[in-house]
Amino acid sequence: MSEGELPQVARAVATRTPLSARRRGRAAEVAFLWLCRLAVVAPLALLAWLLGGVLLDGLSRLDYSFITEPDSRRAAQAGI
């Protein structure tokens, strides 16, 4: 083997196309990426919607005395 030649394995590695340059399956890769994004965003949006509904419903029932005053010993007056 002369000085300028590469071994068979090294020559094969040096001529490989990088994975990012390959076009085969690109549409499936992009579709899968968007499916993964949707799988993350959809539950988070649902959770935000549910928590927003709970907060809007609950905040209208609370007043300042609920936070500052101690619990009542009478069951009819205790709680919200």
Side-chain angles (χ1 to χ4, degrees):
M1 179 173 20
S2 68
E3 189 176 314
E5 289 183 29
L6 293 174
Q8 198 67 318
V9 173
R11 191 176 322 130
V13 170
T15 60
R16 283 191 185 155
T17 305
L19 290 175
S20 61
R22 294 182 184 173
R23 298 300 296 168
R24 187 173 167 208
R26 179 76 174 145
E29 182 181 345
V30 170
F32 179 71
L33 180 65
W34 280 104
L35 183 66
C36 290
R37 289 176 180 167
L38 179 66
V40 170
V41 171
L44 288 176
L46 180 63
L47 180 63
W49 180 66
L50 289 172
L51 287 175
V54 168
L55 285 174
L56 287 175
D57 188 38
L59 289 177
S60 65
R61 298 178 185 199
L62 295 178
D63 58 356
Y64 187 70
S65 66
F66 176 76
I67 297 171
T68 58
E69 294 179 9
D71 294 340
S72 175
R73 295 182 186 259
R74 297 183 188 136
Q77 294 178 353
I80 299 175

